[in-house]
Amino acid sequence: MLLEREAPLGTLLASAERAAAGHGGTVLVDGEAGVGKTSLLREFAENADRNYRMLWGWCEALFTPRPLGPLQDMAHLLDPRVAALLEETAAPERLFPALLNALQHTKGTTVLVFEDMQWADNATLDLVRYLGRRVSLLRTMLVLSMRRDEISADHPLTHVLGDLPSGSVSRVTLEPLSSQAVTVLAEQAGRSAGGLYRITEGNPFFVTELLSSSEVESGRVPDSIRDAVWSRLSRLTPGEREVLEVMSIMPGSVEPWLIRALLGDETEVLVDQCVGRGLLRRDVQGALTFRHELAREATLDRLAPSLQRSLHAKVEAALSELPAAQASALLSRRVHHAGGADNGERVLELAPQAAEQAARLGAHREAASHLATALRYVSEAPSALAAQLCEDWAYEAGLSLFVYDEIIEARHRAIAIWRELGRIDKVGANLRWLSRLHWRRGEGQEAEDYADQAVREVENLPPGPELAMAYSTRSQLHMLHYRFNEAIEWGERAISLADRFGEVETRVHALNNVGTALMFADRPGGRERLEESLTLALDHGFHDHASRAYTNFAECAVVAKDFALAERLLAEGIAYCARHDLDSAAQYLLGRQAQLRTEQGRFREAETIAQGVMNLERLPMVMHLPALTELGRARIRLGEPGGAALLEQALQEGLTTGEAQRVIPVRLALAEAAWLAEEPGAGHEQLTALTEMDLDNFRPWDVGELAVWWQRCGMAGSLPVPAGRIPLPQALELRGDPMAASAEWSRLGLPYESALALMQVRGTDAGAALARAVATFEGVEARPAAALARKLAQRIGAANLLPKQRRGPYTVARQHPLGLTRQEQQVLTMIAQGLGNKEAARRLSRSPRTIEHQVSAVLGKFNAANRMEILLRLRGEPWLLPSADALQVREN
């Protein structure tokens, strides 16, 4: 069954039934090229009564049309006398009555299908007029298909249709498919629907050709679409083709003044003709666009490279003649056309300006693209500009892209040029960035080496801003390695120098390092410094520093079990990163969000979020490590396969970084997995390895967790850890009061940890404690822990106290990761499909006011200012969009 064609099909079938009853008629099937007129008619033929006689004929787009082409196609099936008259080219006065007579005396119902009437010759038009005025007296149905976009007001067919009796004429107008239908087709084809509706406008031919073509993967317009567009262009007047060719150079909409500037005022009539033919369309401001983006691309493919360059140059020249403010607002377009004109001088002038403008707005991916355009002409640039272009592109690409080999190479190119120019301050800056890039890839030693080298380079210069930032970079690495005293010392040096030179950016960076070190070490003053770092970064538009502040502050909040603060920071931070093209930082924050969900006992959500991050290709190692660790932890606790392997992978990757924060949580998770599986040897191995690290540099919560598992696993000896460093719930269990520990875990919002503590209760209360633990574990789908608790209860003879064991799959419904209600999830689906409030209200059978409130609620939970920011989030976090099946399950 064709999608969204039920009503047109119903009209055709109803007309056929009337014809069968002796009340014939004419049905006009119109729509743009490729909208599916022939497919509809074939579906009609499949569904019509089998006793109907279906006869088909076609008009052809020939330079000289074939006289009575449709009748000739069907004549041999229609009537021998009519066929004979056609062969002798009888005059219409003889032929048409013979055809009418044949139809009158034919048994049953006849359906005559004349396809592509926009190309009909005059004789065929006369035949349609003749039959159309008489068909109501016959058991005959005349179906005429036509391309609406090729029939103007003065087309001969228009006059013929006007002469037909309105009472016997029905019109079926086929519209393009909706975005939902396009998505369905993409899913059926196993392809992504991303951008498909935008470039096809729902045209079924374009959609199906794109979905079936491998050429799309290479960025080419499929040959079938290109040929169809070129065929259409060949039938236009030279003036109309020129308008379209000039338009094809300019993606997006084109202002009327620009068309006039390029082609002259007399082109207005030609533009109107192209709009009338459905090739172009106007928006409410009068700006012009191609009806289909694919048609624009296919038109552009027709142009010789030299003509394309010439047209690009003309467009850029026209844009540059605008007043300065307007020309500045159109920098992106000017860069595009300067590049298209292969004008290296103009690209080198305009691209850095456009990149700076985009970066200020948070469009870092666009900024990187502009700078990449400039780098195509870097050989034409002076040395200082060449070095700056490499440096600037590496910065923007490092924020928004995952091409780390190329970014590192660009930094080295910049360093080489700056050395030749004697700019040691610039050398130091790029060495700092190399340190960070290697850190992101998990190459801990290289990161430290480049940071030290940066300090050595700039220490030979008079103290200045670059030395302050080098000190802060060294502080950052000490913090990441849990060398908290050193991190604070180097950070304070950086802050002192930054304040001396008025360097707010360096102060922001250093406050982040010091604040994080203080919070991790559970010392006073950390939160205040992180709050100041975040506020300054946001106030000054330091996008990268703001993402770092959100990341470290949120992690500190999760570790400290301040979940309300963590929820706020993660929601704000992920939205901020999505808004400003900070893709790597967004994925790191999502890993921390998965960690929060694990702590909260929301393992299914943790698994979904973490798996989404891990599905991304080319994400640098450190940026996916939080997600990898949480994916392993969630699967271990859910009892799903693969959890231990994921944790082993996380351990191996974490060891290469040399950072305690990448190793401690993973070894503790592996020790837990071994305890759940009752494999003490494996657990002992992980715990022993942790004691070989410097326990003085562990965070208090890590120390407490190590001590608790040391005791649970029955390790020999005691840990040399001061009791004052261990947080309360862990200290309570270690002091022999697991009931109190469980209550404290519950107060903090960690149900799984609360149940684990209950499993440590001994004596007369053990059976009741295990029963509570089982209920909690099963409530969060922690199957292995529930099974172990049941086993322990059986061993002590308390199995009768346990809740009845569940049979079959767990039925706990997943919560949405952002806490959206079922109705809000339905509204989110409508937003993702591009529907407005009115259409969403109609689809969901709710009032517009209710939809308005629910949209506001969704915006709030996404921490988004508008619908576009929601779409940006969904692009990077597709798991936030519920499946139809999930909604149906919750509905039931």
Side-chain angles (χ1 to χ4, degrees), residues 316 320 334 338 343-351:
E316 200 284 313
S320 67
R334 294 171 65 192
N343 187 337
E345 183 180 354
R346 290 293 278 168
V347 169
L348 291 170
E349 174 192 351
L350 297 172

Side-chain angles (χ1 to χ4, degrees), residues 199-394:
I199 63 173
T200 63
E201 289 285 341
N203 182 286
F205 171 70
F206 288 167
V207 172
T208 53
E209 290 302 306
L210 280 177
L211 290 175
S212 63
S213 175
S214 61
E215 296 173 33
V216 182
E217 308 300 332
S218 62
R220 294 183 64 245
V221 177
D223 290 341
S224 54
I225 294 178
R226 185 197 61 196
D227 292 344
V229 173
W230 287 12
S231 174
R232 179 84 188 278
L233 290 173
S234 69
R235 297 192 296 274
L236 301 177
T237 67
E240 290 169 335
R241 275 199 300 275
E242 184 181 14
V243 168
L244 295 174
E245 288 171 353
V246 171
M247 283 276 300
S248 72
I249 286 293
M250 296 172 276
S253 59
V254 182
E255 301 83 348
W257 67 262
L258 184 53
I259 288 290
R260 290 194 296 271
L262 295 170
L263 295 172
D265 294 338
E266 66 277 4
T267 60
E268 284 289 344
V269 174
L270 296 172
V271 168
D272 288 341
Q273 290 172 355
C274 291
V275 171
R277 291 180 180 275
L279 297 163
L280 301 177
R281 63 182 176 188
R282 282 193 177 91
D283 64 18
V284 291
Q285 281 80 37
L288 295 160
T289 56
F290 268 80
R291 178 70 177 80
H292 300 285
E293 173 63 13
L294 287 171
R296 184 193 71 81
E297 294 177 11
T299 304
L300 183 62
D301 283 350
R302 278 174 54 99
L303 307 185
S306 58
L307 179 55
Q308 290 189 33
R309 289 193 295 271
S310 173
L311 290 173
H312 276 298
K314 289 179 181 178
V315 175
E316 200 284 313
L319 294 175
S320 67
E321 291 173 3
L322 291 168
Q326 288 178 269
S328 176
L330 298 174
L331 272 171
S332 291
R333 289 170 64 180
R334 294 171 65 192
V335 172
H336 171 79
H337 292 298
D342 200 22
N343 187 337
E345 183 180 354
R346 290 293 278 168
V347 169
L348 291 170
E349 174 192 351
L350 297 172
Q353 298 176 43
E356 182 181 359
Q357 186 182 80
R360 281 199 307 272
L361 297 172
H364 295 286
R365 191 178 291 104
E366 183 180 342
S369 178
H370 287 313
L371 292 165
T373 301
L375 285 173
R376 285 164 34 195
Y377 302 96
V378 70
S379 61
E380 302 175 25
S383 295
L385 176 58
Q388 194 63 52
L389 286 173
C390 292
E391 181 177 314
D392 290 346
W393 176 82

Side-chain angles (χ1 to χ4, degrees), residues 3 177-197 207 211 832-833 881:
L3 290 175
L177 299 175
S178 67
S179 60
Q180 299 96 304
V182 172
T183 300
V184 169
L185 290 174
E187 290 173 350
Q188 290 175 349
R191 302 280 288 273
S192 169
L196 187 59
Y197 180 76
V207 172
L211 290 175
Q833 292 172 350
L881 191 63

Side-chain angles (χ1 to χ4, degrees), residues 826-839:
Q826 291 173 330
V827 168
L828 174 61
T829 301
M830 299 292 105
I831 292 172
Q833 292 172 350
L835 301 182
N837 287 2
K838 289 183 179 178
E839 179 62 16

Side-chain angles (χ1 to χ4, degrees), residues 674-679 759 770-771 773-774 777-778 783-800 802 805:
W675 180 77
L676 289 171
E678 297 188 279
E679 297 175 356
M759 290 180 68
L770 286 170
V774 168
F777 286 138
E778 292 186 345
R783 296 180 179 86
L788 181 58
R790 285 183 178 277
K791 192 181 295 185
L792 293 177
Q794 203 155 18
R795 289 173 186 170
I796 65 172
N800 61 308
L802 301 182
Q805 191 160 10

Side-chain angles (χ1 to χ4, degrees), residues 12-164:
L12 288 165
L13 291 171
S15 295
E17 289 176 5
R18 288 196 296 272
H23 306 291
T26 303
V27 180
L28 313 177
V29 180
D30 69 22
E32 66 181 31
V35 80
K37 298 180 291 297
T38 299
S39 297
L40 173 67
L41 294 175
R42 286 173 181 163
E43 187 78 6
F44 163 59
E46 287 290 325
N47 286 271
D49 191 305
R50 294 191 179 277
N51 295 320
Y52 294 171
R53 186 169 57 148
M54 305 284 299
L55 303 177
W56 297 71
W58 289 265
C59 303
E60 306 286 357
L62 304 174
F63 293 112
T64 303
R66 186 172 51 132
L68 294 170
L71 189 57
Q72 293 191 45
D73 288 333
M74 62 180 67
H76 64 289
L77 297 174
L78 184 61
D79 186 90
R81 289 167 296 177
V82 173
L85 288 170
L86 274 172
E87 287 180 8
E88 63 183 65
T89 63
E93 292 81 3
R94 295 175 59 205
L95 177 62
F96 293 177
L99 173 60
L100 183 63
N101 184 66
L103 293 171
Q104 286 175 324
H105 293 89
T106 296
K107 292 181 180 180
T109 303
T110 302
V111 180
L112 304 178
V113 180
F114 287 15
E115 286 255 47
D116 289 319
M117 285 296 295
Q118 71 277 356
W119 296 322
D121 63 289
N122 288 334
T124 299
L125 293 173
D126 288 339
L127 175 59
V128 167
R129 182 185 285 111
Y130 180 88
L131 286 179
R133 295 174 67 86
R134 296 163 175 80
V135 73
S136 62
L137 302 175
L138 306 173
R139 288 195 301 274
T140 299
M141 177 182 176
L142 179 61
V143 181
L144 309 176
S145 77
M146 64 201 76
R147 293 183 180 179
R148 181 175 57 213
D149 47 357
E150 295 197 29
I151 299 177
S152 59
D154 57 355
H155 193 287
L157 180 59
T158 303
H159 303 301
V160 171
L161 298 179
D163 290 340
L164 301 183

